[in-house]
Amino acid sequence: SRMRQKIATTWEVPPGTEGFERSAVVYFRIHRNGSVSNVSVEKSSTLPLFDRSCQRAVIEAAPMAPLPREYGDEYIGVHFSFLYQPSQ
């Protein structure tokens, strides 16, 4: 939930993309030290400006919390969903 909140505080829906519900999924890796890599759009909103804003939010939110010592791998892959719903 901390990661979700951290990304949410850096995400800004770009002007001109509001008015309609939009969603995208961004994939990224969190490494042992909390650094982030391989940030890419896994499922596009079909609007490049919106997709880039989602990628940028992940990059600007880095670093994330370090992985727990007990975690055996060097990184964990995250599939992060963004959803914009216009206010009514």
Coordinates of all heavy atoms in Angstrom, one line a residue:
S1 N 0.8 -1.2 0.0 CA 0.0 0.0 0.0 C 0.9 1.3 0.0 O 0.5 2.3 -0.5 CB -1.0 0.0 1.2 OG -0.3 0.2 2.4
R2 N 2.1 1.2 0.6 CA 3.0 2.3 0.6 C 3.4 2.6 -0.8 O 3.5 3.8 -1.2 CB 4.2 2.1 1.5 CG 3.9 2.2 3.0 CD 5.1 2.2 3.8 NE 6.2 1.4 3.4 CZ 6.8 0.5 4.1 NH1 6.5 0.3 5.3 NH2 7.8 -0.2 3.6
M3 N 3.7 1.6 -1.6 CA 4.2 1.7 -3.0 C 3.0 2.4 -3.8 O 3.3 3.3 -4.5 CB 4.6 0.4 -3.6 CG 4.9 0.5 -5.0 SD 5.2 -1.1 -5.8 CE 3.7 -1.9 -5.7
R4 N 1.8 1.9 -3.6 CA 0.7 2.4 -4.3 C 0.5 3.9 -4.0 O 0.3 4.7 -4.9 CB -0.6 1.6 -3.9 CG -1.8 1.9 -4.8 CD -3.0 1.0 -4.5 NE -3.1 0.5 -3.2 CZ -3.0 -0.8 -2.9 NH1 -2.8 -1.7 -3.9 NH2 -3.1 -1.3 -1.7
Q5 N 0.6 4.3 -2.8 CA 0.5 5.7 -2.4 C 1.6 6.5 -2.9 O 1.4 7.7 -3.4 CB 0.4 5.8 -0.9 CG 0.0 7.2 -0.4 CD -0.4 7.3 1.0 OE1 -0.2 6.3 1.8 NE2 -0.9 8.4 1.4
K6 N 2.8 6.0 -2.9 CA 4.0 6.7 -3.4 C 3.8 7.0 -4.9 O 4.1 8.2 -5.4 CB 5.2 5.9 -3.1 CG 6.5 6.7 -3.3 CD 7.7 6.0 -2.8 CE 8.9 6.9 -2.8 NZ 10.1 6.2 -2.4
I7 N 3.4 6.0 -5.7 CA 3.2 6.2 -7.1 C 2.0 7.2 -7.3 O 2.1 8.1 -8.2 CB 2.9 4.9 -7.8 CG1 4.2 4.1 -7.8 CG2 2.5 5.1 -9.3 CD1 4.1 2.7 -8.3
A8 N 0.9 7.1 -6.6 CA -0.2 7.9 -6.7 C 0.1 9.4 -6.5 O -0.4 10.3 -7.2 CB -1.3 7.5 -5.8
T9 N 1.0 9.7 -5.6 CA 1.4 11.1 -5.4 C 2.2 11.7 -6.5 O 2.2 12.9 -6.6 CB 2.1 11.3 -4.0 OG1 3.3 10.5 -4.1 CG2 1.3 10.8 -2.8
T10 N 2.8 10.9 -7.3 CA 3.6 11.4 -8.4 C 2.9 11.4 -9.8 O 3.3 12.0 -10.7 CB 4.9 10.6 -8.6 OG1 4.6 9.3 -8.9 CG2 5.8 10.7 -7.3
W11 N 1.7 10.7 -9.8 CA 1.0 10.6 -11.1 C 0.1 11.8 -11.3 O -0.7 12.2 -10.5 CB 0.2 9.3 -11.0 CG -0.5 9.0 -12.3 CD1 0.0 9.2 -13.6 CD2 -1.8 8.5 -12.5 NE1 -0.9 8.8 -14.5 CE2 -2.1 8.4 -13.9 CE3 -2.8 8.2 -11.6 CZ2 -3.3 7.9 -14.4 CZ3 -4.0 7.7 -12.1 CH2 -4.2 7.5 -13.5
E12 N 0.2 12.4 -12.5 CA -0.6 13.4 -13.0 C -1.2 13.0 -14.3 O -0.5 12.7 -15.2 CB 0.1 14.7 -13.1 CG 0.7 15.3 -11.8 CD 1.4 16.6 -12.0 OE1 1.2 17.3 -13.0 OE2 2.3 16.9 -11.1
V13 N -2.6 13.1 -14.4 CA -3.2 12.8 -15.6 C -3.0 14.0 -16.6 O -3.2 15.1 -16.2 CB -4.8 12.6 -15.4 CG1 -5.5 12.4 -16.7 CG2 -5.0 11.4 -14.5
P14 N -2.4 13.7 -17.7 CA -2.0 14.8 -18.6 C -3.2 15.6 -19.2 O -4.3 15.0 -19.4 CB -1.3 14.1 -19.8 CG -1.4 12.7 -19.6 CD -2.0 12.4 -18.3
P15 N -3.1 16.9 -19.3 CA -4.2 17.7 -19.9 C -4.6 17.1 -21.3 O -3.7 16.7 -22.0 CB -3.6 19.1 -20.0 CG -2.4 19.1 -19.0 CD -1.9 17.7 -19.0
G16 N -5.8 17.2 -21.5 CA -6.3 16.7 -22.8 C -6.7 15.2 -22.8 O -7.2 14.7 -23.8
T17 N -6.4 14.5 -21.8 CA -6.7 13.1 -21.7 C -7.8 12.8 -20.7 O -8.3 11.7 -20.5 CB -5.5 12.2 -21.3 OG1 -5.1 12.6 -20.0 CG2 -4.3 12.4 -22.2
E18 N -8.3 13.9 -20.1 CA -9.4 13.7 -19.1 C -10.8 13.6 -19.9 O -10.8 13.7 -21.1 CB -9.6 14.9 -18.2 CG -8.4 15.6 -17.7 CD -7.8 16.7 -18.5 OE1 -7.9 16.6 -19.8 OE2 -7.2 17.6 -18.0
G19 N -11.8 13.3 -19.1 CA -13.1 13.3 -19.7 C -13.6 11.9 -20.0 O -14.8 11.6 -20.0
F20 N -12.7 10.9 -20.2 CA -13.1 9.5 -20.5 C -12.3 8.6 -19.5 O -11.2 8.9 -19.2 CB -12.8 9.1 -21.9 CG -13.6 9.9 -22.9 CD1 -13.0 11.0 -23.5 CD2 -14.9 9.6 -23.2 CE1 -13.8 11.8 -24.5 CE2 -15.6 10.3 -24.1 CZ -15.1 11.4 -24.7
E21 N -12.9 7.5 -19.1 CA -12.2 6.5 -18.3 C -11.1 6.0 -19.1 O -11.2 5.6 -20.3 CB -13.2 5.4 -17.9 CG -12.5 4.4 -16.9 CD -13.5 3.5 -16.3 OE1 -14.4 3.9 -15.6 OE2 -13.3 2.3 -16.6
R22 N -9.9 5.9 -18.5 CA -8.7 5.3 -19.2 C -8.0 4.4 -18.2 O -8.0 4.7 -17.0 CB -7.8 6.5 -19.6 CG -8.4 7.4 -20.5 CD -7.4 8.3 -21.2 NE -8.1 9.4 -21.9 CZ -8.7 9.3 -23.1 NH1 -8.8 8.1 -23.7 NH2 -9.3 10.3 -23.7
S23 N -7.3 3.4 -18.7 CA -6.5 2.6 -17.9 C -5.3 2.1 -18.6 O -5.3 2.0 -19.9 CB -7.3 1.4 -17.4 OG -7.7 0.5 -18.5
A24 N -4.3 1.8 -17.9 CA -3.0 1.2 -18.4 C -2.4 0.4 -17.4 O -2.6 0.5 -16.2 CB -2.1 2.4 -18.8
V25 N -1.5 -0.6 -17.8 CA -0.8 -1.4 -16.9 C 0.7 -1.2 -17.2 O 1.1 -1.3 -18.3 CB -1.1 -2.9 -17.0 CG1 -0.2 -3.7 -16.0 CG2 -2.6 -3.1 -16.7
V26 N 1.5 -0.9 -16.1 CA 2.9 -0.6 -16.3 C 3.6 -1.7 -15.5 O 3.3 -2.1 -14.4 CB 3.3 0.8 -15.7 CG1 4.8 0.9 -15.7 CG2 2.7 1.8 -16.6
Y27 N 4.6 -2.3 -16.2 CA 5.5 -3.4 -15.6 C 6.8 -2.7 -15.2 O 7.3 -1.9 -15.9 CB 5.7 -4.5 -16.5 CG 6.8 -5.5 -16.0 CD1 6.4 -6.5 -15.1 CD2 8.1 -5.4 -16.3 CE1 7.3 -7.4 -14.6 CE2 9.1 -6.3 -15.8 CZ 8.7 -7.2 -14.9 OH 9.6 -8.1 -14.4
F28 N 7.3 -3.1 -14.0 CA 8.6 -2.7 -13.6 C 9.2 -3.7 -12.6 O 8.5 -4.5 -12.1 CB 8.6 -1.2 -13.0 CG 7.7 -1.0 -11.8 CD1 8.2 -1.1 -10.5 CD2 6.4 -0.8 -12.0 CE1 7.4 -0.9 -9.4 CE2 5.5 -0.6 -10.9 CZ 6.1 -0.6 -9.6
R29 N 10.5 -3.5 -12.4 CA 11.2 -4.4 -11.4 C 11.6 -3.6 -10.2 O 12.2 -2.5 -10.4 CB 12.4 -5.1 -12.0 CG 12.1 -6.0 -13.1 CD 13.4 -6.6 -13.7 NE 13.0 -7.6 -14.7 CZ 13.9 -8.2 -15.5 NH1 15.2 -7.9 -15.4 NH2 13.6 -9.1 -16.4
I30 N 11.5 -4.1 -9.0 CA 12.0 -3.5 -7.8 C 13.2 -4.4 -7.4 O 13.0 -5.6 -7.2 CB 11.0 -3.4 -6.7 CG1 9.8 -2.6 -7.1 CG2 11.7 -2.8 -5.4 CD1 8.7 -2.5 -6.1
H31 N 14.4 -3.8 -7.3 CA 15.6 -4.6 -6.9 C 15.8 -4.5 -5.4 O 15.1 -3.8 -4.7 CB 16.8 -4.0 -7.7 CG 16.7 -4.1 -9.1 ND1 17.1 -5.2 -9.8 CD2 16.1 -3.3 -10.1 CE1 16.9 -5.0 -11.1 NE2 16.2 -3.9 -11.3
R32 N 16.7 -5.4 -5.0 CA 16.9 -5.5 -3.5 C 17.0 -4.2 -2.8 O 16.5 -4.0 -1.7 CB 18.2 -6.3 -3.3 CG 18.1 -7.7 -3.6 CD 19.1 -8.6 -2.8 NE 18.5 -9.9 -2.7 CZ 17.6 -10.3 -1.9 NH1 17.1 -9.5 -1.1 NH2 17.2 -11.6 -1.9
N33 N 17.7 -3.2 -3.4 CA 17.9 -1.9 -2.7 C 16.8 -1.0 -2.9 O 16.9 0.2 -2.5 CB 19.2 -1.3 -3.2 CG 19.2 -1.0 -4.6 OD1 18.2 -1.2 -5.4 ND2 20.3 -0.4 -5.1
G34 N 15.7 -1.4 -3.6 CA 14.6 -0.5 -3.8 C 14.6 0.2 -5.1 O 13.6 0.9 -5.5
S35 N 15.7 0.1 -5.8 CA 15.8 0.8 -7.1 C 14.8 0.1 -8.1 O 14.4 -1.0 -8.0 CB 17.2 0.8 -7.7 OG 17.6 -0.6 -8.0
V36 N 14.5 0.9 -9.1 CA 13.5 0.4 -10.1 C 14.1 0.4 -11.5 O 14.9 1.3 -11.8 CB 12.3 1.4 -10.1 CG1 11.3 1.2 -11.2 CG2 11.5 1.4 -8.8
S37 N 13.7 -0.6 -12.3 CA 14.2 -0.7 -13.7 C 13.2 -1.4 -14.5 O 12.1 -1.8 -14.0 CB 15.5 -1.6 -13.7 OG 15.2 -2.9 -13.4
N38 N 13.4 -1.4 -15.8 CA 12.6 -2.0 -16.8 C 11.1 -1.5 -16.8 O 10.2 -2.3 -16.9 CB 12.6 -3.6 -16.6 CG 13.9 -4.2 -16.9 OD1 14.8 -3.9 -16.2 ND2 14.0 -5.0 -17.9
V39 N 11.0 -0.2 -16.6 CA 9.7 0.4 -16.6 C 9.1 0.4 -18.0 O 9.6 1.1 -18.9 CB 9.7 1.8 -16.0 CG1 8.3 2.4 -15.9 CG2 10.4 1.8 -14.6
S40 N 8.0 -0.3 -18.2 CA 7.4 -0.3 -19.6 C 5.9 -0.5 -19.5 O 5.4 -1.0 -18.5 CB 8.0 -1.5 -20.4 OG 7.7 -2.7 -19.7
V41 N 5.3 0.0 -20.6 CA 3.8 -0.2 -20.6 C 3.5 -1.6 -21.1 O 3.9 -2.0 -22.2 CB 3.2 0.9 -21.6 CG1 1.7 0.7 -21.8 CG2 3.5 2.3 -21.2
E42 N 2.8 -2.3 -20.2 CA 2.4 -3.7 -20.5 C 1.1 -3.7 -21.2 O 0.9 -4.5 -22.1 CB 2.4 -4.4 -19.2 CG 2.1 -5.9 -19.4 CD 2.3 -6.6 -18.0 OE1 1.5 -6.3 -17.1 OE2 3.1 -7.5 -17.9
K43 N 0.2 -2.9 -20.8 CA -1.2 -2.8 -21.5 C -1.5 -1.3 -21.7 O -1.6 -0.5 -20.7 CB -2.2 -3.4 -20.6 CG -3.6 -3.4 -21.2 CD -4.6 -4.1 -20.4 CE -6.0 -3.9 -21.0 NZ -6.9 -3.2 -20.2
S44 N -1.5 -0.9 -22.9 CA -1.6 0.5 -23.3 C -3.1 1.0 -23.1 O -4.0 0.2 -23.3 CB -1.2 0.7 -24.7 OG -1.5 2.0 -25.1
S45 N -3.2 2.3 -22.8 CA -4.5 2.9 -22.8 C -4.9 3.3 -24.2 O -6.0 3.8 -24.4 CB -4.4 4.2 -21.9 OG -3.6 5.2 -22.6
T46 N -4.0 3.1 -25.2 CA -4.1 3.5 -26.6 C -3.9 5.0 -26.7 O -4.1 5.5 -27.8 CB -5.4 3.1 -27.3 OG1 -6.5 3.8 -26.8 CG2 -5.7 1.6 -27.1
L47 N -3.5 5.7 -25.7 CA -3.2 7.1 -25.7 C -1.8 7.3 -25.2 O -1.5 7.2 -24.0 CB -4.2 7.9 -24.8 CG -4.4 9.3 -25.2 CD1 -5.0 9.5 -26.6 CD2 -5.3 9.9 -24.2
P48 N -0.8 7.5 -26.1 CA 0.6 7.5 -25.7 C 0.9 8.5 -24.6 O 1.7 8.3 -23.7 CB 1.3 7.9 -27.0 CG 0.4 7.4 -28.1 CD -1.0 7.6 -27.6
L49 N 0.3 9.7 -24.6 CA 0.5 10.7 -23.6 C 0.1 10.2 -22.2 O 0.8 10.4 -21.2 CB -0.3 12.0 -23.9 CG 0.0 13.2 -23.1 CD1 1.5 13.6 -23.2 CD2 -0.9 14.4 -23.6
F50 N -1.0 9.5 -22.1 CA -1.5 8.9 -20.9 C -0.5 7.8 -20.4 O -0.1 7.8 -19.3 CB -2.9 8.4 -21.1 CG -3.5 7.8 -19.8 CD1 -4.2 8.7 -18.9 CD2 -3.4 6.5 -19.5 CE1 -4.8 8.2 -17.8 CE2 -4.0 6.0 -18.3 CZ -4.7 6.8 -17.5
D51 N -0.1 6.9 -21.4 CA 0.8 5.9 -21.0 C 2.1 6.4 -20.5 O 2.6 5.9 -19.5 CB 1.1 5.0 -22.3 CG -0.1 4.2 -22.7 OD1 -1.1 4.2 -22.0 OD2 -0.1 3.7 -23.9
R52 N 2.7 7.4 -21.1 CA 3.9 8.0 -20.6 C 3.8 8.6 -19.3 O 4.7 8.6 -18.4 CB 4.4 9.1 -21.6 CG 5.1 8.4 -22.9 CD 5.9 9.4 -23.7 NE 5.1 10.6 -24.2 CZ 4.3 10.6 -25.3 NH1 4.3 9.5 -26.1 NH2 3.7 11.7 -25.6
S53 N 2.6 9.2 -19.0 CA 2.4 9.8 -17.6 C 2.4 8.7 -16.5 O 2.9 8.9 -15.4 CB 1.1 10.5 -17.5 OG 0.0 9.7 -17.5
C54 N 2.0 7.5 -16.9 CA 2.0 6.4 -16.0 C 3.4 5.9 -15.8 O 3.8 5.6 -14.6 CB 1.1 5.2 -16.5 SG -0.6 5.6 -16.7
Q55 N 4.2 5.7 -16.8 CA 5.6 5.4 -16.7 C 6.3 6.4 -15.9 O 7.1 6.0 -15.0 CB 6.2 5.3 -18.1 CG 5.9 4.1 -18.9 CD 6.6 4.1 -20.2 OE1 6.2 4.8 -21.1 NE2 7.6 3.3 -20.3
R56 N 6.1 7.7 -16.2 CA 6.8 8.7 -15.4 C 6.5 8.7 -13.9 O 7.4 8.9 -13.1 CB 6.4 10.1 -16.0 CG 7.3 11.2 -15.5 CD 6.9 12.6 -16.2 NE 6.7 12.5 -17.6 CZ 5.4 12.7 -18.1 NH1 4.4 12.9 -17.4 NH2 5.3 12.6 -19.4
A57 N 5.3 8.4 -13.6 CA 4.9 8.3 -12.2 C 5.7 7.2 -11.4 O 6.2 7.4 -10.3 CB 3.4 8.0 -12.0
V58 N 5.9 6.1 -12.1 CA 6.7 5.0 -11.5 C 8.2 5.4 -11.3 O 8.8 5.3 -10.2 CB 6.6 3.7 -12.3 CG1 7.6 2.7 -11.8 CG2 5.2 3.2 -12.3
I59 N 8.7 6.0 -12.4 CA 10.1 6.5 -12.3 C 10.3 7.5 -11.3 O 11.3 7.5 -10.5 CB 10.5 7.0 -13.7 CG1 10.6 5.8 -14.7 CG2 11.9 7.7 -13.7 CD1 10.6 6.2 -16.2
E60 N 9.4 8.5 -11.2 CA 9.6 9.6 -10.2 C 9.3 9.1 -8.8 O 9.8 9.7 -7.8 CB 8.6 10.7 -10.5 CG 9.0 11.5 -11.8 CD 8.1 12.6 -12.2 OE1 7.1 12.8 -11.4 OE2 8.3 13.2 -13.2
A61 N 8.6 8.0 -8.6 CA 8.3 7.5 -7.2 C 9.5 6.7 -6.7 O 9.6 6.4 -5.5 CB 7.1 6.6 -7.2
A62 N 10.4 6.3 -7.6 CA 11.6 5.5 -7.1 C 12.5 6.3 -6.3 O 12.6 7.6 -6.5 CB 12.3 5.0 -8.4
P63 N 13.2 5.7 -5.4 CA 13.2 4.3 -5.1 C 12.1 3.9 -4.2 O 11.5 4.7 -3.5 CB 14.6 4.1 -4.3 CG 14.8 5.4 -3.6 CD 14.2 6.5 -4.5
M64 N 11.8 2.6 -4.3 CA 10.7 2.0 -3.5 C 11.4 1.4 -2.2 O 12.6 1.5 -2.1 CB 10.0 0.8 -4.2 CG 9.4 1.2 -5.6 SD 8.1 2.5 -5.4 CE 7.8 2.8 -7.1
A65 N 10.6 0.8 -1.3 CA 11.2 0.2 -0.1 C 12.1 -1.0 -0.6 O 11.7 -1.7 -1.5 CB 10.1 -0.3 0.8
P66 N 13.2 -1.2 0.1 CA 14.0 -2.3 -0.2 C 13.3 -3.7 0.0 O 12.3 -3.7 0.8 CB 15.2 -2.3 0.7 CG 15.2 -0.9 1.3 CD 13.7 -0.4 1.2
L67 N 13.7 -4.7 -0.8 CA 13.0 -6.0 -0.6 C 13.4 -6.6 0.7 O 14.6 -6.3 1.2 CB 13.5 -6.9 -1.8 CG 13.1 -6.5 -3.2 CD1 13.6 -7.5 -4.2 CD2 11.6 -6.4 -3.3
P68 N 12.6 -7.4 1.3 CA 12.9 -8.0 2.6 C 14.1 -9.0 2.4 O 14.3 -9.6 1.4 CB 11.7 -8.8 2.9 CG 10.6 -8.3 2.1 CD 11.2 -7.7 0.9
R69 N 14.9 -9.1 3.4 CA 16.1 -10.0 3.4 C 15.7 -11.4 3.1 O 16.5 -12.1 2.4 CB 16.8 -9.9 4.7 CG 17.6 -8.7 4.9 CD 18.6 -8.9 6.1 NE 19.1 -7.5 6.4 CZ 18.9 -7.0 7.6 NH1 18.3 -7.6 8.6 NH2 19.4 -5.7 7.8
E70 N 14.6 -11.8 3.5 CA 14.2 -13.2 3.3 C 13.8 -13.5 1.8 O 13.7 -14.6 1.4 CB 12.9 -13.5 4.1 CG 13.0 -13.2 5.6 CD 12.7 -11.7 5.9 OE1 11.7 -11.2 5.4 OE2 13.5 -11.1 6.6
Y71 N 13.5 -12.4 1.1 CA 13.2 -12.6 -0.3 C 14.4 -13.2 -1.1 O 15.4 -12.6 -1.1 CB 12.7 -11.3 -0.9 CG 12.1 -11.5 -2.3 CD1 10.8 -12.0 -2.5 CD2 12.8 -11.1 -3.4 CE1 10.3 -12.2 -3.7 CE2 12.3 -11.2 -4.7 CZ 11.0 -11.8 -4.8 OH 10.5 -12.0 -6.1
G72 N 14.2 -14.3 -1.8 CA 15.3 -15.0 -2.4 C 15.9 -14.5 -3.7 O 17.0 -14.7 -4.0
D73 N 15.1 -13.7 -4.4 CA 15.5 -13.3 -5.8 C 16.1 -11.9 -5.7 O 16.0 -11.2 -4.7 CB 14.3 -13.3 -6.7 CG 13.8 -14.7 -7.0 OD1 14.6 -15.6 -7.0 OD2 12.6 -14.9 -7.3
E74 N 16.7 -11.5 -6.8 CA 17.4 -10.2 -6.9 C 16.4 -9.1 -7.1 O 16.7 -7.9 -6.9 CB 18.4 -10.2 -8.0 CG 19.6 -11.1 -7.7 CD 20.3 -10.6 -6.4 OE1 20.7 -9.4 -6.3 OE2 20.6 -11.5 -5.5
Y75 N 15.2 -9.4 -7.7 CA 14.2 -8.4 -7.9 C 12.9 -9.0 -7.9 O 12.7 -10.2 -8.0 CB 14.5 -7.7 -9.3 CG 14.3 -8.6 -10.5 CD1 13.0 -8.8 -11.0 CD2 15.4 -9.2 -11.1 CE1 12.9 -9.6 -12.1 CE2 15.2 -10.0 -12.1 CZ 14.0 -10.2 -12.7 OH 13.8 -11.0 -13.8
I76 N 11.8 -8.2 -7.8 CA 10.5 -8.7 -8.0 C 9.8 -7.9 -9.1 O 10.0 -6.7 -9.2 CB 9.7 -8.5 -6.6 CG1 8.3 -9.1 -6.7 CG2 9.6 -7.0 -6.2 CD1 7.6 -9.3 -5.4
G77 N 9.1 -8.6 -9.9 CA 8.4 -7.9 -11.0 C 7.0 -7.4 -10.6 O 6.3 -8.2 -9.9
V78 N 6.7 -6.2 -10.9 CA 5.4 -5.6 -10.5 C 4.6 -5.2 -11.7 O 5.1 -4.6 -12.7 CB 5.6 -4.4 -9.6 CG1 4.3 -3.7 -9.3 CG2 6.5 -4.7 -8.4
H79 N 3.3 -5.6 -11.8 CA 2.4 -5.2 -12.8 C 1.4 -4.2 -12.1 O 0.6 -4.6 -11.3 CB 1.6 -6.4 -13.3 CG 2.5 -7.5 -13.8 ND1 2.9 -7.6 -15.1 CD2 3.1 -8.5 -13.1 CE1 3.7 -8.7 -15.2 NE2 3.8 -9.2 -14.0
F80 N 1.6 -3.0 -12.4 CA 0.9 -1.9 -11.7 C -0.2 -1.3 -12.6 O 0.1 -0.8 -13.7 CB 1.9 -0.8 -11.3 CG 1.3 0.1 -10.2 CD1 1.5 -0.2 -8.9 CD2 0.7 1.3 -10.6 CE1 1.0 0.7 -7.9 CE2 0.2 2.1 -9.6 CZ 0.3 1.8 -8.3
S81 N -1.4 -1.3 -12.1 CA -2.6 -0.8 -12.9 C -2.8 0.7 -12.6 O -2.9 1.0 -11.4 CB -3.8 -1.6 -12.6 OG -3.6 -3.0 -13.0
F82 N -3.1 1.4 -13.6 CA -3.5 2.8 -13.5 C -4.9 2.9 -14.0 O -5.2 2.4 -15.1 CB -2.6 3.8 -14.3 CG -1.2 3.9 -13.7 CD1 -0.2 3.0 -14.0 CD2 -0.9 5.0 -12.9 CE1 1.1 3.2 -13.5 CE2 0.4 5.2 -12.4 CZ 1.4 4.3 -12.7
L83 N -5.8 3.6 -13.3 CA -7.1 3.8 -13.7 C -7.5 5.3 -13.5 O -7.4 5.8 -12.3 CB -8.1 2.9 -13.0 CG -9.6 3.1 -13.2 CD1 -9.9 2.8 -14.7 CD2 -10.4 2.2 -12.3
Y84 N -8.0 5.9 -14.5 CA -8.5 7.3 -14.4 C -10.0 7.2 -14.6 O -10.4 6.7 -15.7 CB -7.8 8.3 -15.4 CG -8.5 9.6 -15.4 CD1 -8.4 10.5 -14.4 CD2 -9.3 9.9 -16.5 CE1 -9.1 11.7 -14.4 CE2 -10.0 11.1 -16.5 CZ -9.9 12.0 -15.5 OH -10.5 13.2 -15.5
Q85 N -10.8 7.7 -13.7 CA -12.2 7.9 -13.8 C -12.6 9.3 -13.6 O -12.3 9.9 -12.6 CB -12.9 7.0 -12.8 CG -12.7 5.5 -13.0 CD -13.4 4.7 -12.0 OE1 -13.3 4.9 -10.8 NE2 -14.1 3.6 -12.4
P86 N -13.2 9.9 -14.7 CA -13.5 11.3 -14.5 C -14.6 11.5 -13.4 O -15.4 10.7 -13.3 CB -14.0 11.7 -15.9 CG -14.4 10.4 -16.6 CD -13.5 9.4 -15.9
S87 N -14.5 12.7 -12.7 CA -15.5 13.0 -11.7 C -16.8 13.3 -12.5 O -16.8 13.9 -13.5 CB -15.2 14.1 -10.9 OG -13.8 14.5 -11.0
Q88 N -17.9 13.0 -11.8 CA -19.2 13.3 -12.4 C -19.9 14.4 -11.7 O -19.8 14.7 -10.7 CB -20.0 12.0 -12.5 CG -19.3 11.0 -13.3 CD -20.1 9.7 -13.5 OE1 -21.2 9.6 -12.9 NE2 -19.5 8.8 -14.2

